[in-house]
Amino acid sequence: MKLLIGKTITDVAGITASGVSGGLKKSGKKDLCVIHSKGNPVASAVFTKNKVKAAPIVMNMEHIKNPITKVIVVNSGNANACTGKKGLEDAYTMAQLTADILGVAKEEVIIQSTGIIGVQLDMEKIDSAIKKGCENLSDQGGHDAATAMLTTDTSEKKIAVSFEIDGKEITLAGIAKGSGMVHPNMGTMLSTLVTDLNISKEMLDLAFKDSVDISYNMISVDGDTSTNDMAMVIANGLAENKKIETVGENFEKFKDILIYINTELAKLIAKDGEGATKLIEVEVKNAQTLEDARISAKSVIRSNLTKCAFFGADANWGRILCAVGYSDAEFNPNNIDISFYGEGEKIQIAEDGMGVKFDVDKAKEILLKPEVKVEIDLKDGEYSATAWGCDLTYDYVKINGAYTT
Amino acid sequence: MKLLIGKTITDVAGITASGVSGGLKKSGKKDLCVIHSKGNPVASAVFTKNKVKAAPIVMNMEHIKNPITKVIVVNSGNANACTGKKGLEDAYTMAQLTADILGVAKEEVIIQSTGIIGVQLDMEKIDSAIKKGCENLSDQGGHDAATAMLTTDTSEKKIAVSFEIDGKEITLAGIAKGSGMVHPNMGTMLSTLVTDLNISKEMLDLAFKDSVDISYNMISVDGDTSTNDMAMVIANGLAENKKIETVGENFEKFKDILIYINTELAKLIAKDGEGATKLIEVEVKNAQTLEDARISAKSVIRSNLTKCAFFGADANWGRILCAVGYSDAEFNPNNIDISFYGEGEKIQIAEDGMGVKFDVDKAKEILLKPEVKVEIDLKDGEYSATAWGCDLTYDYVKINGAYTT
C-alpha cells in the first residue's frame, strides 16, 4: 500500500466532486459538496444508533438498500435534525433535485447534513447550492468538497492510498468531518470513502462494517452521539480488477486497507475535536476479552477528569485507573500497569495498580507532545483494543457555551 | 416533618463529632472528622460499584456486616485509593487506632477517605489527627465535621429534620461532600446520616438502599464514578420509639423522609459540582418504564454539550433531544415536548420533537437563574424520574487541569 500525499477523492478513477458556498453558513464559507461517480458503484454505509435520527439519515437508510449509489451530497451549516415531516420531505427533495440535474435515480443519491439541530433548511438556498454544486463537478474538486463539509473543524480530514489487487492498481480515498458531538455508536460523524475497486455490494458491506467497529466507533470527543452520524464507502469498479465476490486474500487485503484508512480519518477527527490541543491514544492490552479491552479503552478516552488532566499535562494515572474501574470490564485492579508514550519516549507511572516513582518533569514533557499514547496493561488475558480522543479544554467550553452555526 | 435550620448531626441524641486539622491538606484546612454515637447503633451503607475500590471501601464492606456501628472517621486530602496492600493495612490501622482510643471494637468503626488517588497516607499525621479528633469529640462538633470532609467543595452540605414516630420526636441529620469525580453508581460520594430512630438493621437497610437509588444515584457532575463513593446511615435508637422491625406505616414515613434528606444532599452536591454556576434538574415524564425515565434523565444531565449550553444560558433543546436519543431509552422522537423552568417561570421550547417559536430573551433570563429545571415529556407512558447535575464551565477545566490536593 502506498500513501498518496496531497491526493484526494477526485484522484480515484471516475470520481468528480465540488465544494460551493450556498449561504447556509452565516460566515459565507463553503457549505455544500457534491461527489459523483461514473459507472455503477456499490456502496456500504453505517448510520447513527441515536434514536433521534436526522431526516437525511432516515432517507439514507432506505436509499442505501438500492444496488447502486452514484451521488453523495453533503451540506454543512444545518443538520436537518428534529425537523419533523417537513425535514424529511426536504431530504427527499434534495435527493430528487440532485437526481434530476445529474440524470440518475433519486435512490442513487445519498444526502449527508451537519450543523445546527432543530432549524428547518432554507430550501431556496439549498436548491441553488445543489445546482451550483452539480455544475461545478470536476476531477479537481475533491479538496473543495473536503472543505465544504466542515463545521467547527479546524482542518480538512482526508487521506488517499493506492494498492494492487489482481495486478490492477486500485485507489482508495476518503474525506471526513468531526469536531463536536462525537461519540460514534456504529455510525459515526460524516465520512465518505470512494474507490475504483471492483467488489460486490455484499463483500464491500462486510469489509466496511468490520472496519468501522475498530476505527470510528473507537473515538470520542465529548461522549455525545450525534443525530447525523454516518460513514460510507462507494466502489465503482473502474480499476477493472477481477470482482471481489468472496472472502479471500484480496478481500482481506482490501479490508486491512479500509481499517487503515478509517483509523487514520478517525484519528484526524479525534485530534481536531472541539477545543482540543492534543490527540490521546489509549491502548488497553492483555484483557480477558476483546469487549473488556474495548470498553475500558473507551471509558478512559471519555473520562472528563482524565481529559482535563491531559490538558494540564498532568500525569494523573489515578483518574485513568478509576475510569477503567467504572467501565464494565472484568480485570484485576492489582495487576494494572500504566505507561505514557510521546514521540518515541516512554515513561511508566503505575505498576500492579499502584503508582511507581517516576520523573515528573519527563512525564510532563511527554504529556506536552501533540500526540500522547497511554498504554494500559491489564496483565489478565490476551485481547487488545485502542481508542482515540482528545483533551477537554477551555476552548471546548467556549465553543459550546454559545449558539453558533 | 420539620426542617431544622442551622442544626446538624450533633443535634441528634447521642451523637458527638469533631473536625480537626491534621496536616493532610497542604492548605492546613480541617481534614479529619470523627463521628461517635452512644448506644448500639445499627447502620446501612452503599459503596461504589467501581471495580477499583479504595482501601477503606474494601474494609468497610466487611465492617458494615457487623451488627453495630459506633464510629465514623472521615479524612480528606488523601483517598487511600490505588495504594495496594499497604493502603489496606493503613485503613485497618486507622480503625484499630480509633477503636482503641474510644473503647469500641474495630469492626464498629467505618473509615471514609477522599482526596488524591495513588498516594500512600502519611500514617504519622493520621495517627495524631485521629487522636486529636477523638479528644475533640463534642455535641457542638457537627459543623466542624461537615467542614473537615470537604475537598474542592465550596460549601458545606448538611441537613437536619425532625419528625414523629410512635409519639416520639425523631431527629435525622446528614452531612455530605461531593464536587468532582461525581457520577455515583449505587454508592455515591461521601454522605453520612445519623438518627436517633429505633429501627432494625434490616429495615434500615431496606429504606436506605431504596432512597439512594433515586437520590445520589441520580446526580452527575462529570460522569466519573469515584473509587471512594459511599453513603451510610446509622440509627442509635435513643429516641426510644417502638422499634421499627417490619414494613408498615412508620417504615414508609421514615423512608419518605430518608428520600427527602438524601435528595436534598444530592442536590447540594450537584449544585456545588466543580466549577458549576448552577443546579440543573432534569425531569423526564411519561416514559414507558421507570428505567426509560431514569436513563434518559441521566443521559441529559451527563451530556457535555448540554452542560456547556447551560453554562452559556443557551436554549439549545436539540442537544437535549440528542442526549435522550443516545440513551438506551425507548421512546418516540416525534412525541417529545421540552420546557425550561426557573424560579416559577416556564417556557416551552420544543413540541412533538420539533422546535416551537419562543421568546429567546425570556429563555435566556430563565437559564441565567441559579436553579434551572428541564421538563422532558415523552408522552409515551406513565413513568417519571428526576436527575440533577450542573453546567460544564471554564472553572471545571481549570480545577481539573492541574494537580491539586
Side-chain angles (χ1 to χ4, degrees), chain A residues 140-245:
Chain A
Q140 305 291 317
H143 296 285
D144 283 347
T147 305
M149 65 161 63
L150 305 181
T151 53
T152 51
D153 306 65
T154 66
S155 62
E156 290 171 32
K157 288 148 193 81
K158 54 194 180 190
I159 189 167
V161 300
S162 69
F163 53 98
E164 219 173 80
I165 293 252
D166 180 37
K168 303 287 182 183
E169 199 194 4
I170 315 289
T171 309
L172 170 64
I175 56 176
K177 67 87 52 188
S179 230
M181 208 175 262
V182 173
H183 186 77
N185 180 8
M186 279 306 284
T188 177
M189 329 62 39
L190 300 182
S191 175
T192 298
L193 310 186
V194 295
T195 179
D196 47 15
L197 180 73
N198 194 14
I199 185 170
S200 71
K201 190 170 169 79
E202 291 68 30
M203 287 297 106
L204 184 64
D205 218 41
L206 187 59
F208 189 62
K209 286 177 180 167
D210 279 358
S211 74
V212 165
D213 270 349
I214 56 173
S215 56
Y216 305 115
N217 283 352
M218 290 303 284
I219 63 171
S220 183
V221 167
D222 49 17
D224 283 279
T225 303
S226 163
T227 49
N228 288 57
D229 286 347
M230 70 172 287
M232 66 178 294
V233 57
I234 63 172
N236 64 22
L238 296 183
E240 295 184 335
N241 58 291
K242 186 167 173 286
K243 194 171 189 171
I244 299 176
E245 298 186 282

Side-chain angles (χ1 to χ4, degrees), chain A residues 50-51 224 303 312 319 325-326 401, chain B residues 50-51 224 303 312 325-326 400-401:
Chain A
N50 195 314
K51 286 198 186 65
D224 283 279
S303 157
R319 294 179 182 171
Y326 64 70
Chain B
N50 196 315
K51 284 196 189 65
D224 283 279
S303 156
Y326 66 68
N400 291 300

Side-chain angles (χ1 to χ4, degrees), chain A residues 50-51 82 120 224-225 302-305 308 312 314 319 321-322 325-326 329 333 354 394 396 398 400-401 403, chain B residues 50-51 82 120 224-225 302-305 308 312 314 319 321-322 325-326 329 333 354 394 396 398 400-401 403:
Chain A
N50 195 314
K51 286 198 186 65
C82 306
Q120 298 291 347
D224 283 279
T225 303
R302 188 184 173 169
S303 157
N304 279 352
L305 284 172
C308 284
D314 170 12
R319 294 179 182 171
L321 204 51
C322 175
Y326 64 70
M354 292 171 61
Y394 296 125
Y396 179 83
K398 188 174 181 181
N400 291 301
Y403 219 53
Chain B
N50 196 315
K51 284 196 189 65
C82 306
Q120 298 290 348
D224 283 279
T225 303
R302 188 184 174 170
S303 156
N304 278 351
L305 284 172
C308 284
D314 171 11
R319 292 179 184 171
L321 204 52
C322 175
Y326 66 68
M354 289 171 62
Y394 296 125
Y396 178 84
K398 189 174 181 182
N400 291 300
Y403 218 53

Side-chain angles (χ1 to χ4, degrees), chain B residues 312-348:
Chain B
D314 171 11
N316 196 323
W317 60 270
R319 292 179 184 171
I320 295 172
L321 204 52
C322 175
V324 176
Y326 66 68
S327 77
D328 288 326
E330 286 300 326
F331 66 97
N332 180 346
N334 300 319
N335 273 0
I336 300 186
D337 295 351
I338 302 176
S339 299
F340 292 144
Y341 293 78
E343 291 177 7
E345 291 201 86
K346 176 189 176 178
I347 190 163
Q348 182 169 4

